[in-house]
Amino acid sequence: MPALTELLNAAAAHHDAGRRADALAGYQAVLKRDPAHGEALQRLGILHLQAGDYAAALPLLEQAASAEPDRAIHHSNLASALRRLGRLPDALNACLRALRLSPDFVDAHHNLVNILDQMQRYGDAVAAQKQLITLRPFTGEARLQLARLLILDNRAEEAVEALYDLLGMQPLSVHAYTNLGVALRRLGRLDDAAAAYRTALGFAPDDTGLLSNLGIVLQDQYLYPEAMDCFRRALARKPDSATTHLNLSVAYREEMQIAQSVESARAAVRHDPTLAAAHTALAVSLLMQGDYEEGLAEYEWRSRMADFPSPRRDFTSPAWDGSDRAGCTLVVHDEQGVGDALQFVRYLPVLKARGLKVILECNSQLVRLLGAMPGVDQVVGRFQPLPPHDAHISLLSLPHRLGARIDNIPATVPYLGTEPDLQARWADRLSGVAGLKVGLVWAGNPEFKADHLRSPGLRAFRPLLDLPGIAFFGLQKGPGRKDLEMVGPLPDSFTDLGPEIGDFADTAAIMANLDLIITSCTGPAHLAGGLGRPTWTVLPFSPDWRWLATGEDTFWYPTMRLFRQDARGNWATVMGMVADALAARQMTENVPSKGHNL
């Protein structure tokens, strides 16, 4: 009978040669004679690990660690099995035990990094990876892993340094240049990021991931035709990439090629029907075309996107599906910005007419304004305790559930109101002002990722302030007020009312006493429109879906006129059109020019 050592060595030789069945039989023969043989238990466990059968590997590796508790390799392999089974705290404990037994054990350091990475403890993973590099200082893969972890830990500057170190060792590393592009983009160094991706493409011109990454950076630089070229080249090599079709759809939309955007979004959905961002992109482009039936249905995917801008909600009640629920209590909650809430509260009286009791939950800045709105039984601030209710729905889902089309939007204005006493006080306050009274809002919420495109800023509006016979009133709140310190001097025709505005009820009372409101695409535009005030809204080249792709008017607000950019970033032409329209209005109304006082 062969000795156990001979049986084990023979089984190990089969294992190393890839003869799995022979190795399995050999290890089992050893364990039949010695069930607590630590090395045989470990090797059989590794055989199962390599086959992906982690559940079978685990008890064998646990037995190996128990049979020979002072061997670091047993605890390290046990950690590997536990990690793959998702038992991360146990995996971490096993790995740390291995390192206590053998502090320089490279495999255990690898396992530690992988475990911490999977636990999303990126800072600790970075420290562990740096320790591994001290043990293997000339391993390029270790430095690449370090850079990746630094990027995940939001330490892009350090990642760039690590990648330059790697490129000093491996100057032709495609992966190094790729990760360098990622890190540089995180730092906002877009030209450098594009250069890194172009260098990588020089070594790997057919790499679809690189082409897509370069296209995304070009999108960040508003170089959409060049970005589209990258995405098309990537799709020529990998036509089934849903994310690349999605990126191409977004680029088409930003270039206002809406039909092509729809086509690419449909392709993205076709290749990955679960990709929420693709459904949402399709929705936006369909809505810009005026296809509300399909567009609003697709827009229901928005909350499933990873970067959905509103907090996740957890209601105990079911979502309302639009069915008749007369007598039931419905919580309607806002999402995204205050402008969205102001636009879609128009549907609350429709709910009330269907016999529902309506509780509106909204941003605290809107509670006072909407508290007396017809069709609302109760208004509560966002995340305040809610009364008992039977169902819930988002304001932005109401158009879909109520079958909205562009020809049946509830557009009777005003549907928003003011506090009579407050409006009267402002009427008295402004009664002595001569000339056309115009309110200005020049910026939106900078937390909205495209705000820099939609917000002209006060500097763009500044030429209007020199028009004679007009009294301008600043209604700006929030970070946009910084423009007042940067744009000057401002003429006597401009009065800043921002410090006197507490919430939207104050803004509404002021707007009710103005002749015209000129605003960027932000919350006050919807407030003015909902109040039925004459409103001029200036729009970026690629506007929000609610304004459609073309046109000077909007079915959402019958008293609103739209002024659209003819080229991205060109506010000068827009303000020229606004100035001409102001002059024409003055001539029509024959408003006398006598200056103003306040």
Side-chain angles (χ1 to χ4, degrees):
M1 180 179 295
L4 285 179
T5 300
E6 294 177 10
L7 282 175
L8 181 64
N9 289 340
H14 289 307
H15 190 164
D16 294 340
R19 296 186 290 272
R20 187 175 185 278
D22 293 333
L24 178 65
Y27 293 142
Q28 289 174 336
V30 173
L31 292 171
K32 184 175 181 180
R33 292 170 57 180
D34 183 359
H37 195 291
E39 185 66 18
L41 288 165
Q42 179 206 203
R43 287 181 172 273
L44 182 55
I46 292 172
L47 190 69
H48 287 304
L49 269 182
Q50 293 171 338
D53 191 350
Y54 310 127
L58 180 61
L60 295 165
L61 296 171
E62 287 177 327
Q63 292 175 59
S66 177
E68 297 177 345
D70 294 332
R71 292 193 64 190
I73 190 172
H74 293 340
H75 297 287
S76 180
N77 287 326
L78 174 59
S80 184
L82 289 165
R83 177 178 70 84
R84 287 174 167 85
L85 290 168
R87 293 173 53 182
L88 300 180
D90 293 335
L92 181 60
N93 288 333
C95 195
L96 292 175
R97 184 168 182 181
L99 287 169
R100 283 194 294 270
L101 290 168
S102 179
D104 294 340
F105 186 23
V106 170
D107 284 350
H109 280 283
H110 275 296
N111 278 335
L112 178 60
V113 170
N114 290 335
I115 292 165
L116 293 170
D117 183 4
Q118 198 165 328
M119 295 176 81
Q120 298 184 356
R121 290 172 52 177
Y122 299 122
D124 293 332
V126 165
Q129 188 67 26
K130 287 181 177 179
Q131 181 62 30
L132 182 58
I133 288 174
T134 63
L135 298 173
R136 293 289 187 273
F138 303 111
T139 304
E141 184 63 33
R143 294 181 186 276
L144 190 65
Q145 171 78 324
L146 174 61
R148 187 186 72 84
L149 292 168
L150 285 165
I151 292 170
L152 291 171
D153 199 38
N154 296 315
R155 294 155 67 178
E157 194 71 57
E158 293 178 63
V160 169
E161 294 178 9
L163 289 163
Y164 280 136
D165 287 342
L166 173 57
L167 287 168
M169 299 166 52
Q170 299 177 359
L172 305 182
S173 172
V174 172
H175 294 303
Y177 279 110
T178 301
N179 282 277
L180 184 60
V182 173
L184 290 167
R185 179 175 180 247
R186 293 280 185 94
L187 293 170
R189 295 168 55 182
L190 300 181
D191 289 342
D192 293 335
Y197 287 134
R198 292 186 196 281
T199 301
L201 282 167
F203 302 129
D206 295 330
D207 189 301
T208 57
L210 278 172
L211 286 166
S212 291
N213 284 351
L214 176 57
I216 290 168
V217 171
L218 292 169
Q219 278 187 323
D220 292 341
Q221 296 175 296
Y222 313 121
L223 301 174
Y224 293 106
E226 293 90 332
M228 288 188 284
D229 180 63
C230 286
F231 298 141
R232 292 191 198 100
R233 288 168 58 194
L235 288 170
R237 294 161 176 79
K238 191 176 181 182
D240 61 347
S241 173
T243 56
T244 308
H245 282 290
L246 170 60
N247 288 330
L248 182 57
S249 173
V250 172
Y252 274 130
R253 188 175 74 234
E254 291 298 328
E255 284 292 288
M256 294 302 289
Q257 299 178 37
I258 306 303
Q260 295 92 324
S261 178
V262 168
E263 182 181 351
S264 291
R266 290 196 190 282
V269 169
R270 187 166 59 250
H271 290 295
D272 185 355
T274 68
L275 186 58
H279 285 277
T280 306
L282 175 59
V284 170
S285 294
L286 287 169
L287 291 167
M288 290 182 75
Q289 288 184 324
D291 185 346
Y292 269 45
E293 183 176 3
E294 183 183 2
L296 289 172
E298 290 290 336
Y299 197 54
E300 290 297 290
W301 282 81
R302 65 192 181 279
S303 62
R304 304 184 215 182
M305 293 192 300
D307 60 348
F308 182 59
S310 294
R312 302 287 176 182
R313 309 306 305 275
D314 186 19
F315 292 96
T316 56
S317 64
W320 183 53
D321 61 2
S323 59
D324 288 334
R325 298 285 298 271
C328 292
T329 299
L330 179 64
V331 164
V332 183
H333 65 90
D334 67 351
E335 65 172 81
Q336 301 182 56
V338 293
D340 299 283
L342 292 169
Q343 179 178 3
F344 294 109
V345 290
R346 70 181 69 220
Y347 281 100
L348 300 184
V350 178
L351 300 176
K352 190 67 177 174
R354 294 179 63 165
L356 289 159
K357 180 180 179 181
V358 178
I359 299 173
L360 174 65
E361 185 204 54
C362 61
N363 187 300
S364 60
Q365 285 285 306
L366 297 176
V367 170
R368 184 172 153 218
L369 173 73
L370 301 177
M373 180 180 172
V376 181
D377 294 282
Q378 185 177 352
V379 179
V380 297
R382 187 183 295 170
F383 305 125
Q384 294 300 307
L386 290 171
H389 55 281
D390 301 298
H392 71 274
I393 190 169
S394 162
L395 271 169
L396 271 73
S397 290
L398 287 177
H400 170 57
R401 292 301 179 196
L402 296 173
R405 304 184 309 272
I406 62 173
D407 61 353
N408 70 358
I409 300 296
T412 300
V413 293
Y415 61 83
L416 300 175
T418 63
E419 297 177 7
D421 290 346
L422 186 59
Q423 179 177 336
R425 287 200 298 272
W426 277 104
D428 182 65
R429 176 84 177 276
L430 298 174
S431 61
V433 177
L436 192 70
K437 295 187 282 290
V438 177
L440 289 183
V441 178
W442 53 83
N445 182 357
E447 293 183 6
F448 176 66
K449 63 182 179 181
D451 184 65
H452 63 291
L453 295 176
R454 68 173 183 173
S455 293
L458 182 56
R459 190 175 302 280
F461 278 99
R462 177 62 182 83
L464 299 180
L465 304 185
D466 294 325
L467 295 173
I470 302 176
F472 291 96
F473 297 94
L475 308 180
Q476 185 68 47
K477 296 293 289 183
R481 291 185 54 76
K482 292 181 180 178
D483 286 9
L484 291 165
E485 304 169 6
M486 302 169 61
V487 179
L490 298 176
D492 292 339
S493 61
F494 176 84
T495 302
D496 175 26
L497 298 182
E500 301 181 59
I501 297 173
D503 61 16
F504 279 87
D506 292 318
T507 306
I510 297 170
M511 286 180 171
N513 289 285
L514 299 177
D515 300 305
L516 174 67
I517 294 91
I518 304 176
T519 176
S520 62
C521 174
T522 187
H526 298 282
L527 175 61
L531 289 167
R533 303 305 300 153
T535 308
W536 294 354
T537 302
V538 297
L539 299 179
F541 178 70
S542 178
D544 192 87
W545 60 264
R546 70 200 76 208
W547 309 122
L548 298 183
T550 60
E552 288 190 0
D553 57 0
T554 169
F555 47 81
W556 291 103
Y557 302 109
T559 62
M560 183 177 288
R561 180 178 175 182
L562 306 176
F563 292 80
R564 300 174 183 267
Q565 283 184 342
D566 59 358
R568 186 172 290 103
N570 182 9
W571 289 115
T573 300
V574 173
M575 295 306 165
M577 292 189 293
V578 171
D580 291 343
L582 277 172
R585 175 158 181 162
Q586 281 185 296
M587 291 180 63
T588 301
E589 297 187 3
N590 194 26
V591 177
S593 174
K594 296 181 181 178
H596 80 285
N597 56 76
L598 186 63

